[in-house]
Amino acid sequence: MTNALKIGVAGLGTVGSGVVQVLAANGDAIAERCGLPIHLSAVSARDRGKDRGIDVSGARWFDDAVAMAADPEVDLVVELIGGAEGVARSVVETALSRGASVVTANKALVAHHGTALARRAEAEGAALAYEAAVAGGIPVIKVLREGLSANRIERVHGILNGTCNYILSTMRESGREFGDVLAEAQELGYAEADPAFDIDGVDAAHKLAILTALAFGCEVDFEALHVEGIRGISALDMEYAEELGYRIKLLGIAERRDSGVVQRVHPCMIETTTPLAQVDGVFNAVATVGDFVDRIVAEGRGAGAGPTASSVVADIMDLARGARLPVFGVPAERLKRLPTLPMTAHVGAYYLRLMVVDRPGVIASIADVLRDEEISVEALLQRGRAPGEAVPMVIATHETTEAKLRRALKQISALETTLETPRVIRIESL
Amino acid sequence: MTNALKIGVAGLGTVGSGVVQVLAANGDAIAERCGLPIHLSAVSARDRGKDRGIDVSGARWFDDAVAMAADPEVDLVVELIGGAEGVARSVVETALSRGASVVTANKALVAHHGTALARRAEAEGAALAYEAAVAGGIPVIKVLREGLSANRIERVHGILNGTCNYILSTMRESGREFGDVLAEAQELGYAEADPAFDIDGVDAAHKLAILTALAFGCEVDFEALHVEGIRGISALDMEYAEELGYRIKLLGIAERRDSGVVQRVHPCMIETTTPLAQVDGVFNAVATVGDFVDRIVAEGRGAGAGPTASSVVADIMDLARGARLPVFGVPAERLKRLPTLPMTAHVGAYYLRLMVVDRPGVIASIADVLRDEEISVEALLQRGRAPGEAVPMVIATHETTEAKLRRALKQISALETTLETPRVIRIESL
C-alpha cells in the first residue's frame, strides 16, 4: 500500500456522519479494494461541540468549509452541506478551481449548476462525482454512465422520492387521505416539517435533471422540467386506480425524441404488474431502457445515512482507484443543448375524475366535449348516490394529446353540472 | 480523438454478432464516451462463409482464434466462444500471457479457472473483464465491485437462469407440468435441445460461483457449490406454493458467515411479495445486501444477443477509458480461501410434499417422526380423496436444520403408508 488518499468532509449531518462511520467500520476492506487507505484528514461543520456519535478526533477541524476546500493537504473534498448556492457551492467551486476532485450528494447543486461545474472540473483535470445525489444507495449513476454505456438510452424513469412513495403507498394500503398520511410521515421522520420540497416534486425533479443529462449527453436543464407534486391525490383516486388496474406513483420520466427530450415529474397511473408498481414505502427504483440492453430496473433505499454514505464512499473509492470519467459521461464541452418538449405535445392516456351533479344529461354533455376534441373513452365509471347530489365520475381515455385534453377540461370545467376542478392523472405504459 | 482501441473478437455466434452490431450501430456515441474509437480489427470463427447478417469485412479474419489472441496488432481480445476448456481457455490464456486484456462472456471458464486467470492477468498487468458472464445485460459485476464497494457484503442472491425462470413462471401461470413446458420452451428457443445445463442448475451455479468470489473477496470455488435443478417441481407444488403464499424460483444464494461461505443453487419458495417473486419469464434479477446500503435489486434480461453484447461492449469501453481494477475487486493474491459450509448445516424452513395412503393414523405416524427430530410444523394441508387412495400431504415446517430434516425424511420415506419419495423445497425469507 502506498500513501493514503486524504479526504476532507464538509458537513457532518446525517450523511456526513454516515460517511465517517462507513470509513471507520470498513476501512480495512476499503483500503484493500482501493490499493490505498482513505484517510479522513479534515472535517468541517457548523457546531464543533455537537455530539454526533462519531470519532473525528484524528481529523483537522475547520469552522470554515471553504477554507478546508482550499487546503492543499486535502486531496479530495466531500461536500455534504446541501443547497444549490451558498457555502456548498463555494466549497465545490473552490476545490475544483485548485484541481482537487469533489464527491457530493448535493442534487440541487448539480441540477442547477451541473454543466458549469462539469466544465470547470474537466478544465482543471479534477473529477466531480455525485452518485449519492440520485436515488441514495442505488448506484444508478454508475449503471447509466458505465454499465449501460454501449447503448443509446431511450428512456429513464423512476421513483426518485421516498417521501412521496411512502405517502402514496400508505394511502393505498390504508385508504386514508393525503393530509393524514403526510402528518404521520412527518412524525415518523419520513417527511420534513416543511414538506414542500418533497411533495411538490422538486427533489425528484433535481434528480431527474441529472439523469437526463447523463442519459442523453445533454446539458443539465432543470428549469425546463415539467413538475407536479402529489398534494392533489385523494383516497378516492387511489380506489379508482385500483379498480382500473393501476397504481399511483410519483415518477420522474426522461425520454429522448427526435425533436428533443421530454423531462417530467408528476403522479402517474401505471399498471399493477409493472416492476415499479411493486416498489412501495420509502424505496426508490430507476428503470433505464437502452437500444440493446432493453429495460434494466434497479431498486433500493433512496435515502438515509447508510445507503447515501455507501454511494459517497463508492465515489471516493472510484477516484482512489484512478477513475477519471467525464462528469456526464461525455466531455462537458461536447454536451448537447437539446430542447425540452412542452407538455402540450405530450401524447398519452389520461385518468379524469370529475365531481358532477347526478342528473339526466350529465354524461351526454361531457361525452359531447370529448367527442369534439376527438378524445376516445377507454372506461367510464359512475356510481349513483341520491339524485341531484354530487357524485364522482371517472373517465380513462385512450391516447390523445395533452393540448386536446386541456381544451376538453376547460370546457368540462365550465359546465354548470361540474362541481369541482377536475382531477387529472396521466396513465403511463412504461 | 487519439488512436483507436483495436479489438479482436473470437466467436461470432449470437453474442459475437451482437457485439459487432452494437459497435456498428452506436460506434460514434461509444467513441465520444470513451475518448477514442473502438476498432473491430480482427475476428475469428469456425465458418468463414456463414452469413451472420453482420459486416466484418473491415476486420482481419483468423481461422485460428488462438493465433488471433497472440497477434500483437490486437490490443484487446474478446472471447465469446464459450466452454471452460479447449479453444476458449487457450484464447484467454494466450492473450493474458502477452499482457493483452480480455473481455469474456464465458461463465464456465471464469467459474472453473477464475482465480488462476486473475493471477495471471494481474501478473501481466492485463485486465480480465466478465460482466456479460453473469446475468446478461444487468451490470451486476460493476454494481458489486464498484457501486457497492464501500460495503461489507452479507448476501447475494438471484434469479440467474432465464430458462428455468421461464419454465417455472409458465408452470405457475398455466398449471401445466414441467415436461410439457420444457418442450414448449425448447420450441420457442428459450431452452436448448439438451437442456441439462440450464435446468439442472449448472449455468446458475457458474454465475453464483463468480458472484461469491466478488462479493466476499474469496477464491472462486465452483466445486464447493451445492446444486439442485428444477426437474422435480410439479404442477401440484406450484398450486400448494400459491396456497401457502409463496412462489417457486430457482435461486442462487451466496451468504457470508463467520465460519465460511454458503453457496447454493436450488429451487426455493419465497414470499409472493418479495421483489424476486415478481420477476417472471426469461428475466434475471440479483439482490445484494450490504451492511450500509441494505438491499439493492437489479433486474433485466439475462440472456440474448443485445443484452449480453451490451455488457461485453461496456467492459470494452471501461478498458478503453483506462479502468484497471483487480479482477475480483481485490488483488488476486489477496483473495481468501473461505470454506464453503455443507448443506447439512443449513438452517431454514422447509416445504415437504408426501404422497400417502389416506387412512387413519397416517398423520400421527408422520407427526411422531417430526416431533422426534424436533421439527415443528407451521402448516399442514391434506385433502381427502376416496379412503385408501393416494393423497398428497403438504407440510411447511418452522426453522430447523437440514441434518434433522434429512433424518426425518429417511424415516418418513420408510413408512409403509408413504408412497413416493417426498419432495422437498427450501422456504427462504430473503
Side-chain angles (χ1 to χ4, degrees):
Chain A
M1 303 245 172
T2 54
N3 27 344
L5 180 75
K6 287 170 287 185
I7 67 166
V9 174
L12 291 174
T14 308
V15 179
S17 298
V19 168
V20 174
Q21 281 168 338
V22 170
L23 293 173
N26 292 344
D28 290 349
I30 287 169
E32 188 165 52
R33 290 169 192 167
C34 292
L36 83 178
I38 311 292
H39 173 55
L40 183 65
S41 160
V43 293
S44 174
R46 266 184 298 202
D47 180 359
R48 187 166 187 171
K50 188 173 172 184
D51 180 12
R52 299 175 173 87
I54 53 171
D55 179 12
V56 293
S57 59
R60 289 175 299 139
W61 182 275
F62 285 79
D63 286 319
D64 179 357
V66 179
M68 188 192 80
D71 191 297
E73 285 294 302
V74 173
D75 299 325
L76 185 154
V77 174
V78 183
E79 186 278 302
L80 302 171
I81 296 167
E85 308 297 338
V87 181
R89 186 176 176 185
S90 299
V91 164
V92 172
E93 289 179 344
T94 301
L96 294 179
S97 298
R98 69 174 176 91
S101 290
V102 171
V103 171
T104 181
N106 190 333
K107 57 215 77 167
L109 179 71
V110 181
H112 283 281
H113 307 296
T115 310
L117 292 173
R119 286 205 189 100
R120 187 180 292 213
E122 292 169 22
E124 300 292 343
L128 173 64
Y130 50 91
E131 182 66 79
V134 181
I138 311 174
V140 60
I141 302 297
K142 182 170 281 286
V143 166
L144 255 179
R145 193 182 47 196
E146 302 163 43
L148 307 184
S149 59
N151 293 267
R152 178 183 159 97
I153 303 298
E154 294 162 3
R155 189 175 66 230
V156 185
H157 66 273
I159 296 169
L160 298 173
N161 184 275
T163 304
C164 288
N165 206 50
Y166 172 81
I167 293 172
L168 293 174
S169 304
T170 307
M171 286 177 68
R172 180 180 69 79
E173 288 159 11
S174 68
R176 286 154 59 202
E177 283 295 352
F178 173 80
D180 185 21
V181 175
L182 170 61
E184 185 190 74
Q186 287 171 316
E187 276 169 37
L188 291 169
Y190 294 158
E192 306 280 337
D194 177 1
F197 201 69
D198 289 316
I199 66 176
D200 292 335
V202 182
D203 175 74
H206 283 152
K207 295 165 182 169
L208 187 69
I210 298 170
L211 291 178
T212 304
L214 199 55
F216 307 131
C218 59
E219 295 186 3
V220 194
D221 190 1
F222 176 72
E223 304 302 333
L225 263 88
H226 176 85
V227 186
E228 299 170 27
I230 63 166
R231 288 184 204 257
I233 307 294
S234 72
L236 207 52
D237 297 320
M238 285 286 167
E239 268 176 51
Y240 281 113
E242 205 74 6
E243 191 168 340
L244 293 163
Y246 297 116
R247 295 271 160 87
I248 301 175
K249 297 287 178 189
L250 182 76
L251 297 188
I253 303 173
E255 290 165 302
R256 181 83 160 93
R257 299 279 163 76
D258 291 337
S259 48
V261 297
V262 173
Q263 297 187 77
R264 51 198 172 98
V265 171
H266 55 73
C268 299
M269 288 202 184
I270 56 177
E271 282 181 32
T272 312
T273 51
T274 56
L276 263 56
Q278 317 288 338
V279 176
D280 281 327
V282 295
F283 287 88
N284 280 199
V286 181
T288 307
V289 179
D291 55 352
F292 283 93
V293 77
D294 196 14
R295 187 181 67 194
I296 297 288
V297 182
E299 180 193 338
R301 293 192 180 274
T308 311
S310 166
S311 285
V312 170
V313 177
D315 271 348
I316 298 170
M317 292 174 71
D318 266 358
L319 298 176
R321 285 158 156 177
R324 273 296 175 287
L325 294 186
V327 176
F328 292 104
V330 297
E333 82 265 19
R334 297 178 76 97
L335 290 169
K336 294 182 279 280
R337 276 186 192 225
L338 296 177
T340 293
L341 305 180
M343 277 311 285
T344 44
H346 176 71
V347 175
Y350 292 83
Y351 160 95
L352 312 180
R353 180 170 59 76
L354 317 172
M355 293 301 287
V356 296
V357 182
D358 189 9
R359 74 179 185 216
V362 171
I363 294 183
S365 57
I366 291 166
D368 283 350
V369 171
L370 295 174
R371 181 205 54 214
D372 291 350
E373 292 295 345
E374 300 173 297
I375 297 169
S376 80
V377 172
E378 153 99 33
L380 191 150
L381 305 173
Q382 191 190 347
R383 293 184 198 86
R385 294 188 196 173
E389 278 192 15
V391 293
M393 177 193 290
V394 162
I395 297 165
T397 76
H398 282 290
E399 273 206 349
T400 182
T401 68
E402 183 128 343
K404 285 183 184 175
L405 187 94
R406 288 186 186 180
R407 283 198 301 268
L409 277 178
K410 203 169 168 187
Q411 297 167 62
I412 290 170
S413 297
L415 293 173
E416 183 206 353
T417 50
T418 303
L419 299 173
E420 294 177 8
T421 308
R423 175 88 63 240
V424 181
I425 302 176
R426 294 176 191 88
I427 299 172
E428 301 286 337
S429 42
L430 296 168
Chain B
M1 303 246 173
T2 52
N3 27 347
L5 179 76
K6 287 170 287 183
I7 67 167
V9 175
L12 290 175
T14 308
V15 179
S17 299
V19 167
V20 174
Q21 281 167 338
V22 170
L23 293 173
N26 292 345
D28 290 348
I30 287 169
E32 189 164 53
R33 291 169 192 166
C34 292
L36 83 176
I38 311 292
H39 173 56
L40 183 66
S41 159
V43 292
S44 174
R46 264 185 300 201
D47 180 0
R48 187 167 188 171
K50 188 174 172 182
D51 180 11
R52 299 174 174 88
I54 52 170
D55 179 11
V56 293
S57 58
R60 288 175 300 138
W61 182 275
F62 285 79
D63 287 318
D64 178 358
V66 179
M68 189 193 78
D71 190 298
E73 285 294 301
V74 173
D75 300 325
L76 186 154
V77 174
V78 182
E79 185 277 303
L80 302 170
I81 295 168
E85 307 298 337
V87 182
R89 186 176 176 185
S90 299
V91 164
V92 172
E93 290 180 342
T94 301
L96 295 178
S97 297
R98 69 176 177 92
S101 290
V102 171
V103 171
T104 181
N106 190 334
K107 58 216 77 163
L109 179 71
V110 181
H112 283 280
H113 305 296
T115 310
L117 292 174
R119 288 206 187 101
R120 186 180 294 211
E122 291 169 24
E124 301 292 343
L128 173 64
Y130 51 90
E131 182 66 79
V134 181
I138 311 173
V140 60
I141 301 298
K142 181 169 282 285
V143 166
L144 256 179
R145 192 182 48 196
E146 302 163 42
L148 307 184
S149 59
N151 293 267
R152 178 184 158 96
I153 302 298
E154 293 164 1
R155 190 175 65 230
V156 184
H157 66 274
I159 296 169
L160 299 172
N161 183 276
T163 303
C164 288
N165 206 50
Y166 171 82
I167 292 172
L168 293 173
S169 305
T170 306
M171 284 177 70
R172 181 180 67 79
E173 288 159 11
S174 68
R176 286 153 60 202
E177 285 293 354
F178 173 79
D180 185 21
V181 175
L182 170 61
E184 185 190 74
Q186 287 172 314
E187 274 169 39
L188 291 169
Y190 294 158
E192 305 281 335
D194 177 1
F197 201 68
D198 289 314
I199 66 175
D200 291 336
V202 182
D203 175 74
H206 283 152
K207 296 165 182 167
L208 186 69
I210 298 170
L211 291 177
T212 304
L214 199 55
F216 308 130
C218 60
E219 296 186 3
V220 194
D221 190 2
F222 176 72
E223 301 304 332
L225 263 88
H226 177 85
V227 186
E228 300 170 26
I230 63 167
R231 288 185 204 257
I233 308 294
S234 72
L236 207 51
D237 298 320
M238 286 285 166
E239 268 177 50
Y240 280 114
E242 205 76 6
E243 190 167 343
L244 292 163
Y246 298 116
R247 295 270 161 88
I248 301 175
K249 296 287 179 189
L250 182 76
L251 297 187
I253 303 173
E255 290 165 302
R256 182 83 158 93
R257 299 279 162 76
D258 291 337
S259 47
V261 296
V262 172
Q263 296 187 75
R264 51 198 172 100
V265 171
H266 54 72
C268 298
M269 288 202 182
I270 56 176
E271 281 180 33
T272 312
T273 51
T274 56
L276 263 55
Q278 318 288 338
V279 177
D280 281 326
V282 295
F283 288 89
N284 281 198
V286 181
T288 308
V289 179
D291 55 353
F292 284 91
V293 77
D294 197 13
R295 187 181 66 194
I296 297 288
V297 183
E299 180 194 337
R301 294 193 178 272
T308 310
S310 167
S311 284
V312 169
V313 177
D315 271 347
I316 298 170
M317 292 174 70
D318 266 0
L319 298 175
R321 286 156 154 178
R324 273 298 175 284
L325 294 185
V327 176
F328 292 104
V330 296
E333 81 266 19
R334 298 178 76 97
L335 290 170
K336 294 182 279 283
R337 278 191 190 217
L338 296 176
T340 293
L341 305 180
M343 277 310 285
T344 44
H346 176 71
V347 175
Y350 292 83
Y351 160 96
L352 313 180
R353 180 170 59 76
L354 318 172
M355 293 302 286
V356 296
V357 181
D358 189 9
R359 74 179 186 213
V362 170
I363 293 183
S365 57
I366 291 166
D368 284 349
V369 171
L370 295 173
R371 180 204 56 211
D372 292 348
E373 292 295 346
E374 299 172 298
I375 297 169
S376 80
V377 173
E378 154 99 35
L380 191 150
L381 305 173
Q382 191 190 347
R383 292 183 199 87
R385 296 189 194 171
E389 277 192 17
V391 293
M393 177 194 290
V394 162
I395 298 165
T397 76
H398 282 290
E399 271 206 349
T400 183
T401 67
E402 183 127 344
K404 285 182 184 172
L405 187 94
R406 288 186 186 180
R407 282 198 302 269
L409 278 178
K410 203 169 167 186
Q411 295 166 64
I412 290 170
S413 297
L415 293 173
E416 185 206 352
T417 50
T418 302
L419 299 173
E420 294 177 8
T421 307
R423 176 88 61 237
V424 180
I425 302 176
R426 294 178 191 87
I427 298 173
E428 302 286 335
S429 41
L430 296 169

